[in-house]
Amino acid sequence: MEKITFHLQTSNKKTVKVRYRLRAGRGVQICHKSDIVANLADLEKFLPNGDTKGRVSVYNLELSQMLKKEYEIMMNAYSVMKDTGLDITTPVFEREILRIKNPIEQIRNDNPTIIARFRQYANDALRHGIIGAKRHKHIIVVSDKLERFLVINGISSITSSEFSERHLMDFRDFLFDEYLYIYKYPSLYSHVKQQNKPKTRLSMNTVVSQMKMFKTFFAELEDSEEIHKSPFSKIGRERRVSIMKTRYDDPIFLRREELMIILDTVVPERLKNTKDAFLVQCALGCRISDFQAMNMDSISVSGEGIPYVHYVPSKTASTQHGNEEVKTPIVRFAFDIIQHNGFEFPIIKNVYGHSGYNPMIKALLEFCGINRMVPLFNEETKSNDYVPLYQEGSSKLCRKTHVDMMNKVQIDMYAAGLHREGSSAVTRYTQLEIKDRFELFNLAFDQVSYTVDQQLNII
């Protein structure tokens, strides 16, 4: 049970500035310096909660009321600290007391907190088709991080206009090192899924991506004149460029011969579905969200008898101007797998779990001996570490592999020298049709051409 006592540091003074000490068991002892100045003789008549001591009949009523109010604020602040899992320290105690006393709290009644406004911005953007569902989900994740940051720092009631460049830089530091706070404030992370809890320091690119969402939010508030100036604008230009700069590793992808090794390797039963899914996704080059939504109805046949998948990319479905589909020819090895499996790949339903698609891709590549050393930039040492390629296996590797293989069989549109580089005329003069792209696909993946009828029977 917590107990508050006076903590007076005086001997000869007639007036003192009232100080308090809060104890709770053996492990908690925190202090608070109030703004109450009292005559020592008057103060000696009171208990810390503002009640008079026994047999006291003459006392300072105004001082009694001030002591009672201060005591109530301290108890409320301590209660918040316990309930939200904040550090039980004097600085945090003082911050929470200041937050409760904040004289602009009444103004905040008419202005939502930055958390409420950030989430409203995300929901409005989704409803108006400015962002898609996946982007909305990512923004909500960042808003949850922001909420934890504000609670830990005792400023959870702050509004958007009060969020300064100093808060912004502190939040950036928090994003990098949030994994350090999980065990300090377990109650704040009790509802966060285990796989979503950061386990190491985040990379520069991940933090920049999350900060960009925050920057777009403030830009909208600035445009609508809800705030005078974005905190991003208050940071010096060079510093702003530095903190928003993304760094990319050398491209990591499978070479054609490595993909063919996987295709030809006989794998154990536990890896068969992963192998099939991985090879098909490499051949199609689609994002995992689109791959998960595909079935046999996603396949059509061109007039020339070329089978292809068609879909509207989920990432841009709500933001693109039209409903233009992606149409991707299916090379022979992928067609054979699809015909055999009926587009049933159970492994892709769970991407990130312990035995999900991404971990199983790593196991597949390791089993197939895909151990070429590739460079990864180390944020701490500021130099490259070299790791076996199989360690970087994921669904994203499929898309990277596809793009690289297709890039290597295309002729530069400006190679003829008829137009300067970047001329839009070149793209107006020509268009790769399904049959043209099918030939490029076959060349890239070293596959033979084939045709099918409308029932997907090979002719």
Side-chain angles (χ1 to χ4, degrees), residues 421-434:
E421 186 123 358
S423 170
S424 60
V426 176
T427 55
R428 290 201 303 269
Y429 291 168
T430 185
Q431 181 181 21
L432 282 174
E433 298 176 351
I434 286 284

Side-chain angles (χ1 to χ4, degrees), residues 112-123:
T113 65
I114 188 172
I115 287 296
R117 188 63 187 87
F118 194 25
R119 287 173 180 156
Q120 179 191 337
Y121 152 78
N123 294 336

Side-chain angles (χ1 to χ4, degrees), residues 8-266:
L8 304 179
Q9 298 176 342
T10 181
S11 55
N12 301 319
K13 294 180 181 179
K14 290 184 179 180
T15 60
V16 295
K17 201 165 189 179
V18 181
R19 298 185 178 193
Y20 298 87
R21 177 183 283 125
L22 184 150
R23 291 187 177 92
R26 295 182 179 180
V28 175
Q29 180 172 291
I30 53 180
C31 300
H32 166 55
K33 299 177 182 179
S34 76
D35 295 323
I36 302 172
V37 178
N39 183 287
L40 190 56
D42 285 342
L43 186 62
E44 288 177 346
K45 297 179 181 180
F46 294 100
L47 298 170
N49 64 0
D51 291 342
T52 56
K53 295 179 179 179
R55 298 184 180 181
V56 172
S57 58
V58 179
Y59 59 89
N60 185 328
L61 178 60
E62 183 180 0
L63 178 59
S64 173
Q65 292 172 339
M66 287 191 293
L67 293 174
K68 286 181 178 180
K69 184 175 181 180
E70 197 76 11
Y71 184 88
E72 182 181 352
I73 289 173
M74 284 189 290
M75 293 301 292
N76 287 340
Y78 183 65
S79 178
V80 169
M81 292 166 68
K82 289 193 300 180
D83 292 344
T84 56
L86 296 178
D87 273 349
I88 307 299
T89 63
T90 294
V92 176
F93 191 36
E94 294 284 26
R95 263 201 313 265
E96 282 302 301
I97 290 171
L98 184 62
R99 181 186 64 79
I100 295 172
K101 288 182 174 181
N102 199 321
I104 66 170
E105 194 66 33
Q106 185 59 43
I107 298 175
R108 287 200 179 113
N109 291 336
D110 300 322
N111 292 277
T113 65
I114 188 172
I115 287 296
R117 188 63 187 87
F118 194 25
R119 287 173 180 156
Q120 179 191 337
Y121 152 78
N123 294 336
D124 288 347
L126 176 65
R127 187 171 63 255
H128 298 150
I130 299 172
I131 60 175
K134 192 170 184 179
R135 182 72 170 179
H136 175 265
K137 183 178 180 180
H138 288 167
I139 295 176
I140 295 301
V141 167
V142 176
S143 78
D144 290 343
K145 290 174 177 284
L146 176 64
E147 183 174 29
R148 292 192 288 269
F149 163 77
L150 297 176
V151 168
I152 288 170
N153 286 279
I155 50 174
S156 55
S157 295
I158 198 171
T159 64
S160 303
S161 59
E162 296 165 339
F163 196 87
S164 68
E165 61 271 26
R166 181 67 263 165
H167 293 132
L168 184 66
M169 297 306 295
D170 288 346
F171 179 51
R172 177 176 178 268
D173 291 340
F174 176 81
L175 290 176
F176 272 115
D177 295 319
E178 188 181 9
Y179 74 101
L180 298 175
Y181 295 85
I182 293 175
Y183 297 105
K184 284 186 177 181
Y185 308 100
S187 63
L188 291 179
Y189 294 88
S190 59
H191 302 297
V192 181
K193 293 181 179 179
Q194 192 62 36
Q195 64 265 32
N196 293 336
K197 294 178 182 178
K199 298 173 180 60
T200 59
R201 195 170 198 265
L202 292 190
S203 69
M204 174 70 77
N205 288 359
T206 301
V207 171
V208 169
S209 174
Q210 295 176 351
M211 290 289 281
K212 283 181 178 179
M213 298 178 197
F214 211 34
K215 185 179 180 182
T216 304
F217 161 65
F218 275 112
E220 177 162 309
L221 297 188
E222 192 174 7
D223 290 343
S224 62
E225 299 183 350
E226 290 185 47
I227 60 173
H228 176 64
K229 194 173 185 180
S230 165
F232 284 89
S233 303
K234 297 177 183 179
I235 301 173
R237 183 180 179 279
E238 289 186 5
R239 192 180 185 191
R240 187 167 63 248
V241 170
S242 176
I243 67 172
M244 300 301 287
K245 183 179 180 180
T246 53
R247 297 184 178 92
Y248 293 100
D249 293 309
D250 290 343
I252 295 177
F253 47 80
L254 289 175
R255 296 169 180 163
R256 182 168 68 179
E257 58 268 26
E258 291 171 329
L259 187 66
M260 293 302 106
I261 288 174
I262 298 171
L263 178 62
D264 295 335
T265 300
V266 177

Side-chain angles (χ1 to χ4, degrees), residues 330-343:
I330 308 173
V331 294
R332 180 60 187 267
F333 74 78
F335 181 81
D336 290 343
I337 293 172
I338 293 171
Q339 282 289 71
H340 181 266
N341 287 30
F343 240 124

Side-chain angles (χ1 to χ4, degrees), residues 287 290 294 297-301 308-314 316-317 320-329 431-432 434 437:
R287 295 183 180 90
D290 297 316
M294 287 181 184
D297 292 335
S298 304
I299 302 176
S300 291
V301 181
Y308 64 92
V309 295
H310 53 94
Y311 59 96
V312 177
S314 59
T316 56
Q320 64 184 30
H321 296 298
N323 294 317
E324 185 176 348
E325 290 186 317
V326 171
K327 297 179 180 179
T328 306
Q431 181 181 21
L432 282 174
I434 286 284
R437 289 192 286 126

Side-chain angles (χ1 to χ4, degrees), residues 350-452:
N350 173 17
V351 179
Y352 304 106
H354 179 69
S355 57
Y357 188 36
N358 281 352
M360 294 303 289
I361 288 175
K362 291 178 173 63
L364 170 70
L365 300 188
E366 184 177 14
F367 181 87
C368 295
I370 310 300
N371 53 15
R372 171 167 52 93
M373 302 302 284
V374 294
L376 287 180
F377 186 74
N378 187 314
E379 294 283 353
E380 294 184 3
T381 63
K382 305 302 179 185
S383 61
N384 281 334
D385 293 335
Y386 282 81
V387 301
L389 177 53
Y390 65 78
Q391 289 187 13
E392 293 304 301
S394 72
S395 64
K396 289 184 179 179
L397 182 63
C398 300
R399 188 169 174 83
K400 294 176 182 178
T401 297
H402 180 92
V403 170
D404 176 74
M405 292 180 71
M406 295 310 301
N407 179 62
K408 287 174 177 174
V409 296
Q410 292 188 59
I411 297 175
D412 191 305
M413 291 188 293
Y414 308 100
L418 302 177
H419 296 85
R420 60 178 173 79
E421 186 123 358
S423 170
S424 60
V426 176
T427 55
R428 290 201 303 269
Y429 291 168
T430 185
Q431 181 181 21
L432 282 174
E433 298 176 351
I434 286 284
K435 60 183 179 65
D436 304 315
R437 289 192 286 126
F438 188 47
E439 292 305 317
L440 289 175
F441 273 51
N442 288 330
L443 179 61
F445 289 96
D446 194 23
Q447 297 292 293
V448 296
S449 184
Y450 70 102
T451 56
V452 300

